Amino acid sequence: MHTPPLRVEKIGGTSMSRFPEIVDNIILRNPDDIYGRIYIVSAYSGITNELLEHKKTGNPGIYQLFREQQNYPRKLLDLRDNLFKLNEALAPVGLNLDEANDFIGDHIDLTINILRSMDNVLSSGYVSHKALLLAARELLASLGEMHSAFNSANILKNQGYNSTFVDLSGWEDSRQLTIDERIKDSFSSIDPFATICFATGYTKGKEGIMREFDRGYSEVTFSKVAVLLGATEAIIHKEYHLCSGDPLVIGEDQIHPVCNTNFDVADQLADVGMEAIHPKASKPLEINNIPIRIKNAFDPDHSGTLITKDFIAPKSKVEIVTGSDKVVSLEIHDTRMVGEVGFDLRIMQVLAKHQVSYISKATNANTIAMIIADRDCSPELLGDLGDKFESVSSRPVAIVCAIGSNIGQPGILARAAQALAADEINILAVSQTPRQTNMQFIVERIQFAQAQRALHRALCM
């Protein structure tokens, strides 16, 4: 008997904020292809930033107010009013305002009561702050996805379709389930071929989804649902294509969508902050041989980027030029390094103590240089390294990467270096492994955009 294909699809926050277009472009686009699709939804754009902290700037949200025992109830009530306004904007496409406002209003009231109880316990001094603060963070994070998933199911139901709100947040379930157990339990009585499922991007589990994944939790939920339910394809809907370069840097008329690539390339992109998917979410999909498709939610005619386990570009080429200018070069120079076995282990132990992961590493007889994120280069880290080694220095730089599934060809590194030299860009360091999927160039930070344009022009056109 033929098993129909099941697709698990994630819709990001920016796309969710344009939900009427999502309905037309994705959910109801093909009248013959409405069911057999499970949607994992993020909170509407900016909501999780308000609940926790701004993902890019780090500006504090309601969580920080709770942590510092400030007036978080007032902020939660302000957020409730904003969510009511957001609900009002969705009424024309079918949202039942009374039901939607009651749902999120009740949950925010309950959140305030739970946080006040936590506050009292924290102030007693009898329990671990760390455990309770993590619980508060999980509680707040769940609100955004509950709101958007409930609304989505409500809208489709009121448009005349069978729809189901799949609440993975565990608010009304005190059972001590793991994340996997909760997903299996929540879907056990649902036939995804008979109803349109909208599941929360947040999943409650006794291990704590944010303890390990923090803001990557919605992609982890997406990955786990796809694996546990045996999806044939995992689809991520974003507000842009996965392209050969950044359109804001290189120009929209110069870049092109990447149609096929592999999981190795996806890992390389994530390593420099250009996440097609969180690496801890992609790994289970790769192991289970479930392809990922990255689609532009607002260009529905384009098939998107298909990421598979075994794809190798038939013709050797660079697929994507990307990088980051929010990095520093951390350089350890020590004359005792020459020939000493395990010298760099001592450096790694300091990095591990400070929970710092490096992006790139270059070494010679007496110097090791690592590229790390700006935010990780703390005075404490530099102080600890300075106590152990002769000379420790750091400088702001940029890393520019030329990435592809098949870039192992004679002369490509020379072409890249020549392109940078022709634009008078000095290469401070260079790194490439024998696997040859990622050429990394360290350049002056001020030349970040210029270096991307030079490499894209030479390697991707």
Side-chain angles (χ1 to χ4, degrees):
M1 185 176 174
H2 174 67
T3 304
L6 174 68
R7 285 144 297 164
V8 174
E9 312 189 32
K10 181 181 180 295
I11 306 175
T14 305
S15 301
M16 284 299 294
S17 291
R18 297 165 63 177
F19 194 70
E21 293 172 78
I22 295 299
V23 172
D24 293 339
N25 289 351
I26 300 169
I27 300 167
L28 302 181
R29 177 171 173 76
N30 182 350
D32 299 321
D33 189 27
I34 292 173
Y35 299 105
R37 305 170 75 177
I38 295 171
Y39 298 99
I40 312 296
V41 299
S42 294
Y44 297 111
S45 182
I47 300 303
T48 307
N49 288 342
E50 288 189 52
L51 287 163
L52 302 178
E53 68 283 314
H54 196 285
K55 192 173 184 180
K56 291 183 179 176
T57 67
N59 287 343
I62 292 166
Y63 169 72
Q64 194 66 28
L65 294 178
F66 171 76
R67 185 173 181 167
E68 295 174 0
Q69 296 185 308
Q70 295 181 17
N71 193 3
Y72 60 85
R74 179 70 262 163
K75 279 290 185 183
L76 273 165
L77 293 174
D78 289 344
L79 176 66
R80 178 198 63 189
D81 294 341
N82 289 339
L83 297 181
F84 284 175
K85 288 177 186 173
L86 202 156
N87 288 351
E88 200 173 327
L90 291 169
V93 292
L95 183 67
N96 184 311
L97 265 184
D98 289 339
E99 292 175 3
N101 287 350
D102 284 349
F103 177 82
I104 194 59
D106 289 348
H107 281 86
I108 284 180
D109 289 343
L110 187 54
T111 298
I112 292 171
N113 290 336
I114 294 171
L115 290 179
R116 279 181 171 146
S117 298
M118 287 184 177
D119 228 347
N120 292 333
V121 175
L122 280 171
S123 60
S124 74
Y126 285 111
V127 298
S128 159
H129 275 222
K130 186 176 180 181
L132 265 183
L133 287 172
L134 183 60
R137 189 168 175 80
E138 300 241 354
L139 175 72
L140 287 167
S142 68
L143 279 173
E145 274 85 10
M146 289 171 67
H147 175 232
S148 59
F150 177 89
N151 282 5
S152 302
N154 188 273
I155 288 169
L156 269 296
K157 173 188 164 190
N158 294 328
Q159 287 194 16
Y161 297 90
N162 292 331
S163 66
T164 302
F165 166 48
V166 185
D167 187 2
L168 300 175
S169 69
W171 267 65
E172 297 171 14
D173 185 355
S174 59
R175 292 176 297 165
Q176 291 292 300
L177 302 177
T178 65
I179 293 167
D180 286 8
E181 286 168 348
R182 188 169 302 282
I183 290 170
K184 288 177 186 174
D185 182 74
S186 298
F187 282 99
S188 62
S189 60
I190 297 171
D191 178 4
F193 296 97
T195 184
I196 308 171
C197 297
F198 293 96
T200 54
Y202 171 85
T203 306
K204 179 182 175 184
K206 62 184 180 183
E207 65 269 50
I209 199 167
M210 299 192 76
R211 185 176 290 119
E212 185 174 357
F213 308 112
D214 203 57
R215 293 292 290 270
Y217 63 83
S218 62
E219 290 192 352
V220 172
T221 292
F222 158 75
S223 171
K224 284 181 173 291
V225 171
V227 169
L228 292 170
L229 272 60
T232 53
E233 191 169 87
I235 304 169
I236 301 177
H237 299 280
K238 294 181 177 280
E239 68 274 17
Y240 49 79
H241 289 293
L242 182 61
C243 287
S244 59
D246 185 342
L248 299 178
V249 172
I250 295 164
E252 285 201 26
D253 58 331
Q254 300 297 307
I255 60 164
H256 54 268
V258 175
C259 294
N260 295 87
T261 193
N262 62 30
F263 283 93
D264 194 350
V265 167
D267 286 345
Q268 305 304 321
L269 295 174
D271 201 38
V272 289
M274 184 187 171
E275 281 186 13
I277 180 172
H278 193 289
K280 288 183 178 178
S282 69
K283 204 52 56 185
L285 296 169
E286 180 180 0
I287 290 167
N288 288 276
N289 207 21
I290 300 173
I292 303 171
R293 190 179 296 275
I294 312 291
K295 289 204 70 175
N296 183 336
F298 308 106
D299 185 10
D301 290 329
H302 196 284
S303 59
T305 304
L306 187 64
I307 302 173
T308 54
K309 198 171 181 177
D310 302 320
F311 176 80
I312 300 292
K315 182 182 176 185
S316 186
K317 64 176 181 178
V318 168
E319 292 163 20
I320 301 169
V321 169
T322 185
S324 174
D325 62 348
K326 295 177 175 58
V327 295
V328 299
S329 174
L330 179 62
E331 188 172 280
I332 293 95
H333 173 80
D334 198 310
T335 54
R336 297 166 297 180
M337 191 183 302
V338 184
E340 185 177 330
V341 175
F343 190 93
D344 56 350
L345 173 62
R346 291 160 54 195
I347 300 173
M348 294 303 107
Q349 288 170 332
V350 177
L351 264 63
K353 173 188 169 185
H354 291 269
Q355 295 188 303
V356 173
S357 174
Y358 65 83
I359 299 167
S360 179
K361 180 180 177 184
T363 181
N364 63 23
N366 54 25
T367 304
I368 294 176
M370 289 164 293
I371 305 302
I372 65 172
D374 267 351
R375 64 180 179 274
D376 291 334
C377 193
S378 65
E380 293 78 14
L381 172 66
L382 295 175
D384 271 5
L385 289 169
D387 289 343
K388 291 177 171 59
F389 306 106
E390 283 182 13
S391 172
V392 176
S393 61
S394 65
R395 62 185 289 189
V397 294
I399 182 169
V400 183
C401 306
I403 300 169
S405 59
N406 181 7
I407 61 172
Q409 59 169 293
I412 193 166
L413 181 59
R415 280 168 54 205
Q418 181 56 43
L420 294 172
D423 246 22
E424 299 187 346
I425 298 168
N426 181 38
I427 301 170
L428 303 175
V430 63
S431 176
Q432 179 178 261
T433 70
R435 191 173 175 84
Q436 293 185 288
T437 53
N438 186 356
M439 292 183 291
Q440 300 177 321
F441 301 94
I442 312 306
V443 300
E444 298 289 355
R445 186 175 286 187
I446 197 171
Q447 294 183 309
F448 178 54
Q450 183 187 354
Q452 287 179 81
R453 287 192 288 267
L455 288 179
H456 191 275
R457 196 165 49 240
L459 306 175
C460 295
M461 300 295 282

